[in-house]
Amino acid sequence: MRVNKKYSCLPAEEKGIHIINIRAIEDIGYDQHENTLLNSLSKNPDADCKYGLYFRDGKRKVDYILVYHYKKSSAGRTLARRVHHNDSSARSTKQDQPLPGKGVQLEMGESEPHMDYHEDDKRFRREEYEGNLVEAGLELERDEDTKIHGVGFVKIHAPWHVLCREAEFLKLKMPTKKMYQINQTHGLLKKINSVIQKITEPIQPKVAEHKPQTVKRLSYPFSREKQHLFDLSDRDSFFDSKTRSTIVYEILKRTTCTKAKYSMGITSLLANGVYSAAYPLHDGDYEGENVEPNDRKLLCEEWASYGVFYKYQPIDLVRKYFGEKIGLYFAWLGVYTQMLIPASIVGIIVFLYGCATVDENIPSMEMCDQRNNITMCPLCDRTCSYWKMSSACATARASHLFDNPATVFFSVFMALWAATFMEHWKRKQMRLNYRWDLTGFEEEEDHPRAEYEAKVLEKSLRKERKHKETDKEKLTWKDRFPAYLTNFVGIIFMVGLTFAIVFGVIIYRISTAAALAISSTPSGRSSVRVTVTATAVIINLVVIIILDEVYGCIARWLTQIEVPKTDKNFEERLIFKAFLLKFVNAYTPIFYVAFFKGRFVGRPGDYVYIFHSFRMEECAPGGCLMELCIQLSIIMLGKQLIQNNLFEIGIPKMKKFIRYMKLKRRRSLDHEEHMKKKQRYEMDYNLEPFAGLTPEYMEMIIQFGFVTLFVASFPLAPLFALLNNIIEIRLDAKKFVTELRRPVAVRAKDIGIWYNILRGIGKLAVIINAFVISFTSDFIPRLVYLYMYSENGTMHGFVNHTLSSFNVSDFQAGTAPNDPMDLGYEVQICRYKDYREPPWSENKYDISKDFWAVLAARLAFVIVFQNLVMFMSDFVDWIIPDIPKDISQQIHKEKVLMVEVFMREEQGKLQMLETWKDKDKKKGENCNNHSPRLSRSHSGSLSSCHSYPLDV
């Protein structure tokens, strides 16, 4: 491997800037005086290279940046490193595991301190890796004279021939010269579309990519043999910056560091600290007076600004700048937000219907009527006394806002809405695939991860020590069994921890309610239920937010010890674990209130106790639906406000402020150096690295669960989700454009595993809403009373029908109220909410037949509702085609046009071949008739007769 012969370094006087030139010849040598002369002629080299966007020559564009740390000399300047060709100087830098390959030897100046072996090892690996990049065709330039002390940058440029070669390997579809007309609507549809375009013109972003197109270029996988098909008039812009960085990243991933089995691509080098960062550059600055127009600035103005929240997203420009995967995320988020608009409108109508009919609701009017004089049994032992049902009037009236017949309709509507949303997204996804030339794109198997290769190497070395000849090794389930066992035990433990915390909050609610009941003030006793509910929900919210962060880290660790082979496998396994843990964390308190609270209470005189002292808590007289609504709304709003928005805004601002203070401190120490304008790669290095789309998708999927799973108890959930997403889109956009390093563009034709998770939540939502309506709300008991027990066909007497009677003389010893005269009179019979026989019955306090009638009706409703809504959802799924008709026609048209292009090319070749044969025949005749008087050799005359230029 001839690594060092590719390098041409500048002398020490050039402030440590090392330029690696790639030439066609093998050995260049050191042309130091010429380089010095060229650099001295440039008055402002930073301006010539557009402050880091180009190489020092101002012509070659920087496509990628590698960053590394090095130790500076005591003088604070980088000394020149003179590389000598010495193939025999192979050094092993690690005693336990020597890395094979040929090293290089450096001669350092006297003032430079001796580096340790660890730093030497890193430097040798960098030099070997960069040499291999040079051999792969890339051009490199080094810069260690930066404002960031001890940090060096390697700028990478991919020349034209490398771009063409890699584009062909990656099968990138590129636009050809052939253009065709896109099918347009005619007649009434055309007029309707024109009217819609005029109406929506103010909310369209002012970018060229967002304008409706009437023509489209035919795309075809790039081929060097068919370059004549493509429009190569401007080679500099044929491959955009996104494509160039993708190509370079592919080369970086597959380029190894040594000749032996120990394969070290860029991911492994980053993990081992050989390089500290690797990223493509942003297109330029996004703010300032004299900033040149660029896509980043345009995105900042038309997308990443809160002032344009009412506009559509420039999805095509997002895809052009960040790639298809990020473009699909923002497109999905935009479709989801748009679909929340009709759901929010219907939710508001349902809520307003509840508000309008609250005064006409007979059960709540009966509960609020003080003339009924219903005395309720104590809520706790000894310290709690009897209480009037009319004191729960406010809770009963509030429950009607969410527990009314309209919520059943809204549950059905939201189930159909979820199915429609999924189908709408599939159609939108197909349109984007057609527009972005992703039709026919299939994801190929990715490169193995660095951790996987290291494990495979470790396994192969163990077998070599045992003198076993093995083929190419791979990790089996036996190798991963300890990790699988750890995953299983870890997930079970985390789920158990979540249940334990919820149980602890239940104990808190019970004990706090008992403690507040002792309060001597009437206001304190009256607000016990509200105080306990509010504080318990806040505790749940804080615990959920903390555990969310903990579970995210644990899910990543559990995935890492599994050692998945590819990045795609790693991402899918991480998503599954993180979603499982966060789903349980977010929804366990809500599931408890919806389905378990008040179900296992017992009855007066025979209550169920926890630890023989705490009585299980009961639902309010109006049911648990109001408490479920409070729990859902506080957790949803608090999670969105604190975790999604405050954390995403506050933490990046805080990190930015810390970096600013550090730079300010350095600037005071080295004022002259920091007066220089920063290079583009230095500014991007100070940004946060891109951590993937999993956190962004995760928070939206959890929100989708809040919107669909328990929507029967909180019709305003879609409205709050809509308001949050309007901010979320611009917040994420601002983060991607201004706060993060530019991510490597990744091709993708769908949103991957997230779609299956969405479909699963949509199906689960139907089942959960069926149980919420039938078991948590009073909808079914009201229907049963209305059609089976009501004497006059109205709801009068419903409250009395749901209450059972208890004789206070049947209290267990030590559980009766300490102050039985608290209401001013002696109580003989108190009431409690349940369907049980009265104390004067033969089977007193046994479950009555009314309970079984209501239970049968509830189960029947669950079965009918679930099957009916599932059928309707599947019908919507079936009736809406996945691929829009116009898109399928355009795809077919592209195939026909491509066949025509190749047929014409074949015909042209045949005509050219016939012309060639005719010319050949005429030349042969001319040669036969030619006079032999010319003094030429036979071979020379033949060559002259048959040699003519041919322009293909």
Side-chain angles (χ1 to χ4, degrees):
M1 184 181 296
R2 311 186 76 178
V3 175
N4 302 324
K5 295 184 180 181
K6 302 289 183 181
Y7 286 75
S8 174
C9 298
L10 293 180
E13 293 77 20
E14 293 304 313
K15 298 183 180 180
I17 298 170
H18 300 260
I19 299 179
I20 304 166
N21 296 314
I22 288 76
R23 311 263 178 101
I25 58 176
E26 279 292 318
D27 197 359
I28 303 170
Y30 300 99
D31 195 2
Q32 298 177 1
H33 301 290
E34 184 180 351
N35 285 333
T36 307
L37 179 62
L38 288 173
N39 285 333
S40 64
L41 292 175
S42 177
K43 295 180 180 178
N44 188 353
D46 289 343
D48 292 343
C49 66
K50 295 188 178 180
Y51 295 98
L53 288 174
Y54 287 82
F55 275 23
R56 286 290 176 182
D57 57 13
K59 297 177 181 178
R60 292 174 292 173
K61 191 173 183 180
V62 177
D63 298 319
Y64 218 88
I65 290 292
L66 299 178
V67 187
Y68 59 91
H69 288 274
Y70 66 94
K71 289 188 177 180
K72 278 197 165 187
S73 64
S74 57
R77 302 173 73 97
T78 307
L79 299 180
R81 295 173 182 169
R82 306 183 183 277
V83 185
H84 290 261
H85 308 309
N86 187 1
D87 291 341
S88 63
S89 60
R91 298 175 56 181
S92 66
T93 57
K94 293 185 180 180
Q95 295 178 1
D96 56 342
Q97 186 179 337
L99 293 173
K102 297 181 181 178
V104 293
Q105 202 171 23
L106 300 179
E107 287 184 8
M108 301 191 179
E110 294 178 2
S111 62
E112 187 170 2
H114 179 69
M115 292 187 177
D116 57 18
Y117 287 111
H118 188 61
E119 290 297 321
D120 283 344
D121 176 42
K122 287 183 179 181
R123 188 173 70 255
F124 293 147
R125 291 190 187 187
R126 282 197 300 268
E127 289 172 351
E128 183 181 358
Y129 182 71
E130 289 163 14
N132 292 341
L133 292 179
V134 168
E135 289 185 352
L138 298 178
E139 299 179 0
L140 313 181
E141 183 177 82
R142 192 188 307 276
D143 185 4
E144 292 183 353
D145 181 33
T146 62
K147 295 173 71 174
I148 307 173
H149 289 276
V151 176
F153 297 87
V154 176
K155 296 174 276 186
I156 303 176
H157 168 78
W160 173 256
H161 70 277
V162 173
L163 294 173
C164 293
R165 181 190 71 206
E166 297 298 324
E168 185 173 348
F169 291 166
L170 296 174
K171 300 176 183 177
L172 297 180
K173 272 191 172 184
M174 304 302 295
T176 63
K177 297 175 184 177
K178 177 69 176 177
M179 301 181 71
Y180 67 95
Q181 198 80 15
I182 298 176
N183 293 339
Q184 300 293 321
T185 54
H186 301 285
L188 182 62
L189 284 176
K190 185 176 182 181
K191 292 181 180 178
I192 294 174
N193 286 340
S194 63
V195 171
I196 293 175
Q197 285 179 7
K198 289 180 181 178
I199 294 173
T200 59
E201 188 175 356
I203 60 175
Q204 299 290 346
K206 297 177 182 178
V207 296
E209 286 79 2
H210 199 77
K211 295 178 181 177
Q213 297 178 348
T214 57
V215 293
K216 186 178 184 292
R217 285 189 178 273
L218 197 63
S219 295
Y220 185 73
F222 188 82
S223 172
R224 287 172 289 181
E225 295 179 355
K226 300 184 183 299
Q227 288 193 30
H228 57 278
L229 294 176
F230 304 94
D231 185 11
L232 303 179
S233 55
D234 186 7
R235 291 189 171 186
D236 292 337
S237 62
F238 182 74
F239 295 106
D240 57 14
S241 58
K242 164 187 69 83
T243 309
R244 297 175 71 100
S245 62
T246 303
I247 288 173
V248 173
Y249 182 64
E250 287 295 324
I251 298 175
L252 292 176
K253 281 201 298 185
R254 71 166 185 258
T255 303
T256 56
C257 185
T258 62
K259 295 177 182 177
K261 296 178 184 177
Y262 192 67
S263 176
M264 293 186 67
I266 186 61
T267 52
S268 181
L269 293 172
L270 288 170
N272 292 330
V274 179
Y275 291 102
S276 57
Y279 52 89
L281 290 180
H282 279 292
D283 279 359
D285 292 325
Y286 60 89
E287 58 185 358
E289 297 179 357
N290 300 321
V291 177
E292 294 184 4
N294 58 72
D295 288 343
R296 188 188 187 194
K297 186 174 185 293
L298 188 59
L299 282 172
C300 189
E301 294 171 351
E302 294 295 328
W303 182 52
S305 172
Y306 296 109
V308 294
F309 72 92
Y310 59 92
K311 288 188 176 184
Y312 285 100
Q313 298 182 85
I315 293 298
D316 291 324
L317 185 59
V318 174
R319 173 254 178 179
K320 178 186 174 185
Y321 193 78
F322 291 110
E324 286 79 8
K325 193 170 185 178
I326 293 175
L328 281 172
Y329 163 71
F330 282 103
W332 174 83
L333 185 55
V335 170
Y336 172 48
T337 305
Q338 289 174 13
M339 289 294 292
L340 282 172
I341 295 174
S344 303
I345 293 172
V346 177
I348 292 171
I349 293 173
V350 169
F351 179 73
L352 293 177
Y353 170 81
C355 294
T357 58
V358 67
D359 292 328
E360 303 172 4
N361 183 38
I362 295 174
S364 62
M365 290 170 63
E366 288 183 346
M367 289 180 66
C368 294
D369 191 358
Q370 296 184 358
R371 293 173 297 179
N372 287 337
N373 199 26
I374 299 176
T375 304
M376 303 296 293
C377 294
L379 296 174
C380 62
D381 294 343
R382 295 187 299 276
T383 55
C384 298
S385 185
Y386 305 104
W387 55 286
K388 293 283 189 182
M389 175 170 271
S390 57
S391 64
C393 175
T395 307
R397 289 173 64 84
S399 296
H400 179 72
L401 301 179
F402 306 100
D403 188 5
N404 55 69
T407 56
V408 180
F409 157 76
F410 190 56
S411 298
V412 177
F413 170 81
M414 287 303 294
L416 298 178
W417 172 87
T420 308
F421 162 60
M422 300 303 294
E423 291 303 309
H424 179 46
W425 167 244
K426 279 197 287 189
R427 290 169 65 85
K428 177 70 173 179
Q429 194 170 253
M430 281 306 302
R431 289 188 181 278
L432 293 176
N433 285 343
Y434 164 72
R435 216 158 67 202
W436 296 348
D437 298 321
L438 292 172
T439 53
F441 166 70
E442 295 294 336
E443 293 186 13
E444 298 179 357
E445 187 176 357
D446 203 356
H447 297 281
R449 297 173 64 247
E451 292 83 355
Y452 179 84
E453 289 186 338
K455 281 285 184 183
V456 169
L457 174 68
E458 185 181 338
K459 182 179 178 181
S460 61
L461 290 176
R462 281 201 308 267
K463 290 197 173 183
E464 282 180 4
R465 290 194 191 104
K466 296 177 182 178
H467 305 288
K468 290 183 179 180
E469 294 183 2
T470 57
D471 297 331
K472 188 176 181 181
E473 290 293 337
K474 63 179 181 180
L475 297 184
T476 62
W477 68 269
K478 292 181 180 178
D479 300 318
R480 292 193 173 104
F481 180 75
Y484 290 154
L485 185 61
T486 306
N487 271 258
F488 179 76
V489 173
I491 290 174
I492 294 296
F493 175 77
M494 292 299 119
V495 173
L497 177 64
T498 304
F499 290 163
I501 291 173
V502 172
F503 183 73
V505 175
I506 294 171
I507 299 297
Y508 162 80
R509 292 158 68 114
I510 296 171
S511 57
T512 306
L516 291 176
I518 307 175
S519 174
S520 57
T521 60
S523 60
R525 290 197 300 269
S526 62
S527 61
V528 168
R529 194 178 295 275
V530 177
T531 305
V532 170
T533 301
T535 54
V537 171
I538 292 172
I539 292 171
N540 273 327
L541 174 63
V542 173
V543 170
I544 285 171
I545 291 174
I546 293 172
L547 287 184
D548 253 6
E549 303 301 320
V550 175
Y551 286 170
C553 299
I554 291 174
R556 179 169 291 276
W557 176 74
L558 290 174
T559 309
Q560 285 173 347
I561 63 174
E562 280 188 44
V563 196
K565 184 175 181 180
T566 63
D567 287 330
K568 184 180 179 182
N569 292 341
F570 181 88
E571 187 180 18
E572 288 180 350
R573 296 185 185 191
L574 172 63
I575 289 169
F576 175 75
K577 293 181 184 65
F579 173 74
L580 178 63
L581 292 174
K582 293 189 177 186
F583 182 89
V584 172
N585 181 40
Y587 295 115
T588 299
I590 301 171
F591 269 94
Y592 164 72
V593 174
F595 302 122
F596 297 100
K597 185 179 179 182
R599 309 288 173 195
F600 312 102
V601 178
R603 62 170 179 81
D606 188 22
Y607 283 113
V608 177
Y609 291 91
I610 301 175
F611 305 132
H612 303 288
S613 56
F614 296 111
R615 213 174 85 186
M616 289 293 290
E617 55 183 343
E618 304 177 37
C619 289
C624 279
L625 198 70
M626 187 61 203
E627 189 172 342
L628 176 62
C629 175
I630 295 172
Q631 183 106 358
L632 188 67
S633 58
I634 291 179
I635 290 178
M636 179 182 176
L637 297 178
K639 204 171 183 307
Q640 289 182 349
L641 181 65
I642 298 173
Q643 191 174 25
N644 297 356
N645 294 333
L646 195 63
F647 281 11
E648 289 190 16
I649 295 174
I651 291 177
K653 293 289 183 188
M654 186 172 65
K655 288 182 178 179
K656 200 172 183 179
F657 177 74
I658 293 172
R659 286 196 300 267
Y660 170 75
M661 294 304 294
K662 286 182 179 179
L663 289 174
K664 191 176 181 181
R665 197 177 299 117
R666 288 179 182 175
R667 192 175 292 123
S668 61
L669 297 174
D670 196 354
H671 180 72
E672 181 181 351
E673 186 177 356
H674 283 276
M675 287 300 290
K676 298 184 298 183
K677 184 177 179 180
K678 273 190 175 183
Q679 303 287 337
R680 175 79 266 149
Y681 43 85
E682 294 179 77
M683 297 169 70
D684 286 3
Y685 178 69
N686 289 327
L687 299 177
E688 287 293 311
F690 175 62
L693 288 171
T694 300
E696 314 299 335
Y697 272 115
M698 189 66 71
E699 64 183 72
M700 288 296 106
I701 297 296
I702 295 295
Q703 185 204 81
F704 182 78
F706 282 122
V707 169
T708 55
L709 291 179
F710 297 93
V711 74
S713 63
F714 189 40
L716 294 179
L719 174 64
F720 290 115
L722 173 65
L723 297 176
N724 174 80
N725 287 6
I726 291 173
I727 301 171
E728 181 73 22
I729 289 175
R730 307 303 163 180
L731 181 65
D732 283 349
K734 197 172 186 66
K735 182 172 70 174
F736 272 82
V737 174
T738 64
E739 302 288 341
L740 297 179
R741 294 176 192 160
R742 187 174 182 177
V744 179
V746 178
R747 286 189 297 170
K749 61 187 303 184
D750 52 39
I751 59 174
I753 194 175
W754 296 111
Y755 182 80
N756 297 328
I757 292 176
L758 284 170
R759 284 188 66 88
I761 291 176
K763 299 294 183 184
L764 184 62
V766 177
I767 302 171
I768 289 178
N769 280 303
F771 277 95
V772 167
I773 293 169
S774 60
F775 284 92
T776 309
S777 75
D778 282 339
F779 177 73
I780 299 301
R782 287 173 187 168
L783 285 181
V784 171
Y785 176 79
L786 186 65
Y787 293 107
M788 290 181 63
Y789 300 102
S790 177
E791 297 177 356
N792 52 7
T794 64
M795 292 301 296
H796 287 289
F798 170 73
V799 174
N800 187 58
H801 179 261
T802 60
L803 297 177
S804 298
S805 300
F806 178 75
N807 193 333
V808 298
S809 61
D810 293 331
F811 272 121
Q812 290 180 355
T815 61
N818 294 332
D819 187 8
M821 301 293 293
D822 186 56
L823 293 178
Y825 57 88
E826 186 179 0
V827 177
Q828 299 291 332
I829 299 293
C830 67
R831 310 294 297 274
Y832 61 98
K833 190 171 182 179
D834 204 349
Y835 291 101
R836 291 182 180 270
E837 297 290 343
W840 51 84
S841 173
E842 292 181 2
N843 303 316
K844 64 177 185 179
Y845 308 134
D846 286 349
I847 294 174
S848 65
K849 63 178 182 179
D850 298 342
F851 171 82
W852 299 111
V854 172
L855 179 62
R858 281 173 165 167
L859 293 175
F861 175 83
V862 169
I863 295 170
V864 172
F865 181 90
Q866 176 184 335
N867 286 281
L868 178 63
V869 176
M870 286 282 192
F871 170 76
M872 295 171 70
S873 301
D874 292 340
F875 180 75
V876 170
D877 191 357
W878 173 75
I879 201 171
I880 301 176
D882 294 345
I883 305 176
K885 187 177 179 181
D886 59 326
I887 295 299
S888 61
Q889 291 175 350
Q890 297 290 355
I891 293 172
H892 178 70
K893 186 176 181 179
E894 276 196 353
K895 291 179 180 178
V896 172
L897 288 173
M898 188 56 66
V899 171
E900 289 180 2
V901 168
F902 285 120
M903 290 298 293
R904 288 176 185 173
E905 185 181 0
E906 289 297 323
Q907 290 174 1
K909 287 181 180 179
L910 290 174
Q911 291 177 0
M912 188 182 299
L913 190 59
E914 290 176 359
T915 307
W916 192 0
K917 288 180 179 179
D918 292 341
K919 288 184 178 181
D920 196 18
K921 188 181 290 184
K922 290 179 182 179
K923 283 283 185 179
E925 292 175 357
N926 292 337
C927 285
N928 291 334
N929 296 331
H930 200 276
S931 174
R933 277 178 279 176
L934 292 173
S935 59
R936 291 182 183 174
S937 66
H938 182 64
S939 60
S941 61
L942 282 176
S943 64
S944 64
C945 288
H946 294 282
S947 299
Y948 50 88
L950 179 63
D951 186 13
V952 180

